[in-house]
Amino acid sequence: MTNSSGCGQSTTTVTNAHTVTVTVTVGSVPLPTSLNASEMPVVGATITPTSGILDSLSDVDAVSLSVENPKAVQTTTESPYGNSSASSPIDAIVKNDTSALNTTFAQPSSTDDGPKTSSTVTLDPVGAFDTVSSTPQSSPWEASASTGSTAAGAVPTTNLSTNQTSGSLNNRSGEIWAGACIDTVPRAKALPGRSFYNFDGKSVKDPIDTLADAGVNAFRVQAFRGDCLGPEPFAATASPLEDEDDFKLDFGCIDVKVKIAKQAIALGMKMELTINQGLNIPKGMEKYTYEQMVEEVQKETKRQLQPFLEANIVPDIILLENEGTDGFLFHEEATGHNRGQNDGKVSEDVVNQERCGQIPTGKMDSYPQLAGYYKAEVIACNEAIEAAGFPTDTVRYGLHSHGQYVQWKESVVHGPKRASETSMRKFDGSPCEGASPIPANLLAMNASEVLTIAGFSAYAEPMRPTDIKSASSLQATLSRLEETLTQIQGYSEEYGRYSSGPFEGQYKLQALGVEYATHFSYPDEIPQQQRHTEMMWDVVRKFSATMIGMLWWEPWYCNNHWEGGKATLCHLIPGPQGSGELGEAPTETLKTWGAGARSPWKRADA
């Protein structure tokens, strides 16, 4: 896939009796060549259509071409963008002409060989090309309508999410997530005098289109307790630039998130949605029992998810709480007390009531209660997804830790069900008396079986290397990332792999860098930032079987004071003095970031 101004050529050459070679160049991006059939993606691959071929390709969502005695056939198709009719089976597939998918090459009359047994050659244009998509609904490489997906920008009849395409979250089709958090983009676009440009800093271009053109293939949006559903206009502000810089702007209702999610999905991007309950216990819920809190948690979970489902969007991944290392719904605003924590603001007897669930808390200190909330959220999501008419087997859930090196409770991410998930204990470690307040259905669930995405904030440490001209200094900032991925890989190996279902062959536990950024100055230090970004992808590549990918935190939030506004992938273009106008353009590092998704990643089941 390419943008509307690009061109693509597909050349099919039969070099011997049972070999078909397909080479494709998209725009100026040559895709990998000299891959054999056991290495995905199948782009520029030499494929031998013999009896074992389907075994190695059965895990991809694909189209098929039947080849009969192809040894004397040689066909070159012109650019599919300029052709109005299919002149060969390959060209028919490029145009998604399903009536021609089973067309066979004619056996040349000059050969003395009899007809050969037809073998099916399976190609994978959907999985292999979606990393270079840019313009929605303009590419001839579209998913089959029967899948109901938007991989490659197809217009769905049902589910807009890409997760119904193949069930593969990461690199089974040769790609890994090189994603972006995009919550702030709609607000910035709505600011008076704000313009977004292409890399040249002159031609106006939508920022999400620019992300897609650079290779970004995944995105994150968040919903929060208290978010309005919309439609609701953004709140007016007398000093928009100052408020934006100081993180004081409102970022809109959930309908705004739905709208930008639809735009990104139409460009072929995968989706991560974070549902946030919040740390504070709402005043009206302070007297609730644990069971009432569970009901409220489920109600709020569905409230945040439902607008996406109504827009036919089913996220690929749903994470529970942004950087929620300590849990949620545990802080009392009136007293400042964190329920379950002996912080001196209540008596130890009250703390014990909290830890034993007589007074409910979502604090990590009373992990069985927090685990119950997590499981209740997963149940609520699945109920809502099923009620909307979509399957749940391709949606995965997980947590997002504030720091690296795995701050999650071990029983969530590692090994079989443990007593810590069910055994409630007082502050001194002694067991709680009486029946557990946690409903039986939640006690029966195993959190480690439903929370299978280990999300973490993966910022370089420090975000600005001490010596940006030193390779060793650049590399040193990534050491903690490598430590984290090494530890999660160990957990993944203990979890094992799926033996069936849409994720068959993949590890049951996988990692996701939910937030990442580095600090370099534009324009002088961009080459060093690009090199550092390449180093980061080199680290991630080592763990490609257990790593879904990385998301850059708000790459378009240029006008903010965090890290001096230098932790983004854009730079500001001031308007005339006093005009209030401000432009944003991407840095070259965005291209380096997106290139990570196009790397020849190791297969997840290799």
Side-chain angles (χ1 to χ4, degrees), residues 221-293:
V221 291
Q222 298 193 69
F224 296 86
R225 177 179 291 273
D227 276 355
C228 51
L229 297 179
E232 183 79 16
F234 294 113
T237 172
S239 51
L241 296 185
E242 291 82 356
D243 288 346
E244 182 184 36
D245 177 73
D246 204 27
F247 298 93
K248 292 181 179 179
L249 292 178
D250 74 293
F251 292 104
C253 301
I254 295 179
D255 68 313
V256 173
K257 312 297 178 67
V258 171
K259 183 177 180 180
I260 198 168
K262 290 175 68 174
Q263 180 186 358
I265 288 170
L267 293 168
M269 296 187 195
K270 298 283 189 177
M271 175 180 178
E272 185 273 300
L273 169 66
T274 298
I275 291 176
N276 291 279
Q277 300 284 346
L279 304 182
N280 296 329
I281 302 172
K283 189 172 181 59
M285 296 165 54
E286 289 179 349
K287 302 298 183 181
Y288 279 12
T289 65
Y290 183 80
E291 193 162 354
Q292 288 174 318
M293 290 292 284

Side-chain angles (χ1 to χ4, degrees), residues 59-135:
D59 56 4
V60 298
D61 196 34
V63 295
S64 297
L65 167 66
S66 214
V67 180
E68 188 171 11
N69 190 28
K71 70 178 182 179
V73 177
Q74 185 170 8
T75 302
T76 300
T77 66
E78 299 298 324
S79 167
Y81 300 99
N83 290 353
S84 58
S85 61
S87 58
S88 71
I90 287 288
D91 201 27
I93 291 175
V94 168
K95 289 181 172 299
N96 200 29
D97 181 354
T98 56
S99 65
L101 292 183
N102 294 318
T103 302
T104 59
F105 288 114
Q107 179 181 339
S109 57
S110 58
T111 179
D112 295 330
D113 293 343
K116 300 290 191 286
T117 301
S118 294
S119 301
T120 300
V121 180
T122 305
L123 309 177
D124 184 23
V126 172
F129 284 87
D130 59 6
T131 60
V132 291
S133 172
S134 59
T135 303

Side-chain angles (χ1 to χ4, degrees), residues 122-205:
T122 305
L123 309 177
D124 184 23
V126 172
F129 284 87
D130 59 6
T131 60
V132 291
S133 172
S134 59
T135 303
Q137 303 176 26
S138 65
S139 170
W141 295 92
E142 295 183 341
S144 168
S146 64
T147 67
S149 74
T150 59
V155 180
T157 55
T158 52
N159 181 12
L160 276 177
S161 174
T162 57
N163 72 8
Q164 303 298 318
T165 305
S166 66
S168 178
L169 280 180
N170 62 350
N171 45 34
R172 267 186 164 248
S173 57
E175 101 179 14
I176 200 164
W177 286 25
C181 304
I182 58 175
D183 279 302
T184 65
V185 173
R187 186 66 180 101
K189 290 172 66 176
L191 289 174
R194 182 61 51 90
S195 299
F196 289 87
Y197 299 97
N198 203 346
F199 288 92
D200 60 11
K202 299 177 181 178
S203 54
V204 175
K205 189 165 186 174

Side-chain angles (χ1 to χ4, degrees), residues 60 80 82 111 136 154 174 275 353 378 439 462 465 553 588:
V60 298
T111 179
I275 291 176
Q353 292 181 56
V378 172
W553 184 82
E588 291 296 312

